[in-house]
Amino acid sequence: MGNRAKRRTGKILAIAGICAAVAAGGIGVATAPSWLDRAPESEAGSPQRSEVGLASAVVKAVELGVTPLDGAREVNPAVGPTVKAVNGTVKDVVLAPAAGGTPVKGNVSADGSTWSTLEPLKFNTKYSYSFTVVDGAGRETKKTQEFTTVSTPNEADASVYPLNGSIMGSGQPIEINFSEPVLNKAAMEKTVKITVSSKQKVAWRWYSDQKVRIRPEKFWASGTKVTVDLALFGKEFGNGMIGNSNVKVSYTTGPQRVAVVDDLTKIMNVYIDGKLAHTAPVTLGGPDWLSPTGYAVIMEQQRYSKFNAGSIGLKPGDKGYYPPLTVERANRLTNSGVYVHQALPSAYAYVGSVNVSHGCVGLLPADAAWFFDNMRTGDLVQVLNTGAPAVEPLEGFGDWNIPWASYAHR
């Protein structure tokens, strides 16, 4: 064995001897670690340690997740705020309007790690969060945050026609008007629930980003209950616009009432649930004012209605001009002023033989009274053989003039 090896062996034996002496109770050879001279520290009363000590294991750092973020703006009030602590618990959570008011109801999970809201928030409101986070050693940290919900300029809503509780004719399409453009129409169609007691399938036709109409293939069955449920609260319309309310409308349809007017015969036949109920002679629009053809829906009924030639672009001296007058038993068919109404006394002699109106369907007094009393808004009037185009959909409710196969449209 060389000298170097001998020296190394000697050192090993010397160290072994020292260790043996300590184990046997020897003194002065080795000193104890310095931490043996201190009392174990309390985890709850000291800063969190990052290394193992004599007391307990290291307390894991709490990972805190709070939504919305502190200072967030335009927060969707339907997206419930939460406080979540990983490796810890939360307590004493208070979420309330910063300006004062009733705190929002919330709930803490069974393990104490998560607090979440139980009710929606208000629009255009600043909220203040305060809560306490507790780590695994029982140490508490109090925090406060603020956020603001969607402001008034970014709120959106919708209206539905027919009105809730109404009784309508069987030709009335559903119309929904949105206050803001709907960019994802497919998603909106899934959001809005249409329930039809007759089980008739419906199709949606979007006339713009804000207007849609909905109808079945054929007229609503007699006595159908239609419910339109728009769960719009918190729904995104697009461009940052958020729905601010839920809307639910139910209405019922009456019998299927259809008045068929034929210019070839100058006769109106009214059918109720497919059976002929009334026949009456008519006068239609003259050569310069042909009555539009196809289906129209009665939009409103007025016992007396004021007619003004200026509403159709006529002024004194123009051909066809007439001074303002009052017409009895007026049933509007179009926005531009086509009606079924009681003919003027000067036209009585022409009813059933000559067309003398400005596009309206004129009736004798007794027939006009029957029509006004037995028909209602939402009922249908079909005009045949005048040579004029069909009523445009947005001229009233000319939706029935669009073939079913092409009605659905976005």
Side-chain angles (χ1 to χ4, degrees):
M1 179 181 298
N3 292 333
R4 178 178 292 181
K6 289 178 180 179
R7 288 196 298 272
R8 185 165 56 249
T9 301
K11 288 181 178 180
I12 292 173
L13 291 173
I15 293 172
I18 292 170
C19 291
V22 172
I27 58 174
V29 178
T31 58
S34 60
W35 47 262
L36 283 178
D37 295 329
R38 300 196 302 271
E41 64 184 19
S42 167
E43 278 287 358
S46 66
Q48 182 171 307
R49 296 176 303 171
S50 59
E51 296 179 358
V52 177
L54 181 62
S56 59
V58 174
V59 176
K60 293 183 178 180
V62 177
E63 297 177 18
L64 185 62
V66 182
T67 56
L69 297 176
D70 190 19
R73 303 184 66 82
E74 300 298 331
V75 173
N76 188 334
V79 180
T82 60
V83 181
K84 182 176 180 61
V86 178
N87 304 324
T89 58
V90 295
K91 68 174 187 176
D92 302 332
V93 182
V94 177
L95 175 63
T102 304
V104 178
K105 294 180 181 179
N107 181 62
V108 178
S109 60
D111 63 1
S113 67
T114 305
W115 180 92
S116 53
T117 52
L118 293 175
E119 57 186 6
L121 306 184
K122 298 178 181 179
F123 277 78
N124 198 33
T125 302
K126 177 181 281 189
Y127 282 90
S128 176
Y129 245 145
S130 65
F131 51 90
T132 298
V133 182
V134 186
D135 70 6
R139 289 170 297 196
E140 299 183 354
T141 302
K142 296 184 182 296
K143 290 183 174 291
T144 58
Q145 293 186 190
E146 286 187 337
F147 64 88
T148 305
T149 55
V150 172
S151 57
T152 299
N154 290 333
E155 294 184 44
D157 56 22
S159 61
V160 180
Y161 185 80
L163 301 179
N164 187 49
S166 59
I167 299 176
M168 303 297 296
S170 60
Q172 182 61 58
I174 301 166
E175 179 173 293
I176 304 175
N177 288 289
F178 297 93
S179 66
E180 305 296 334
V182 176
L183 300 190
N184 190 338
K185 297 179 177 62
M188 185 59 74
E189 290 180 20
K190 292 180 180 179
T191 295
V192 178
K193 306 299 182 185
I194 310 292
T195 304
V196 181
S197 66
S198 61
K199 307 302 181 183
Q200 292 171 269
K201 294 183 178 180
V202 298
W204 293 56
R205 185 173 185 87
W206 292 83
Y207 289 101
S208 71
D209 289 342
Q210 293 179 245
K211 181 188 291 292
V212 66
R213 286 183 181 167
I214 304 159
R215 71 165 175 88
E217 180 177 3
K218 299 179 180 179
F219 310 138
W220 299 109
S222 180
T224 296
K225 182 177 181 179
V226 181
T227 299
V228 186
D229 190 354
L230 295 87
L232 299 180
F233 186 86
K235 300 297 182 182
E236 295 187 9
F237 283 44
N239 295 325
M241 299 296 175
I242 305 296
N244 64 6
S245 62
N246 297 323
V247 180
K248 190 172 184 178
V249 169
S250 292
Y251 69 95
T252 305
T253 65
Q256 288 189 347
R257 290 178 286 251
V258 183
V260 181
V261 179
D262 192 337
D263 192 26
L264 296 181
T265 61
K266 304 291 189 293
I267 292 293
M268 169 192 284
N269 289 317
V270 180
Y271 299 88
I272 299 179
D273 284 336
K275 295 182 179 180
L276 182 63
H278 190 79
T279 297
V282 299
T283 181
L284 299 172
D288 295 328
W289 305 92
L290 297 177
S291 299
T293 57
Y295 287 104
V297 173
I298 297 176
M299 302 172 66
E300 62 175 340
Q301 294 179 295
Q302 295 175 302
R303 180 64 180 83
Y304 299 95
S305 181
K306 295 185 181 299
F307 278 26
N308 189 327
S311 65
I312 55 176
L314 295 177
K315 57 184 183 297
D318 290 342
K319 181 181 180 181
Y321 175 81
Y322 57 86
L325 51 85
T326 298
V327 171
E328 294 192 58
R329 299 182 175 90
N331 307 264
R332 180 186 286 273
L333 301 182
T334 71
N335 292 316
S336 59
V338 175
Y339 286 78
V340 175
H341 64 81
Q342 181 174 313
L344 299 177
S346 60
Y348 289 172
Y350 301 100
V351 174
S353 59
V354 180
N355 293 332
V356 295
S357 80
H358 285 67
C360 294
V361 179
L363 295 168
L364 293 173
D367 294 322
W370 186 96
F371 189 95
F372 190 84
D373 293 340
N374 288 276
M375 303 290 278
R376 69 167 57 245
T377 54
D379 284 341
L380 292 130
V381 176
Q382 183 185 28
V383 177
L384 305 173
N385 301 314
T386 68
V391 175
E392 293 290 334
L394 296 184
E395 248 294 272
F397 290 99
D399 300 69
W400 300 103
N401 298 318
I402 302 174
W404 175 249
S406 57
Y407 187 74
H409 176 75
R410 289 182 186 144

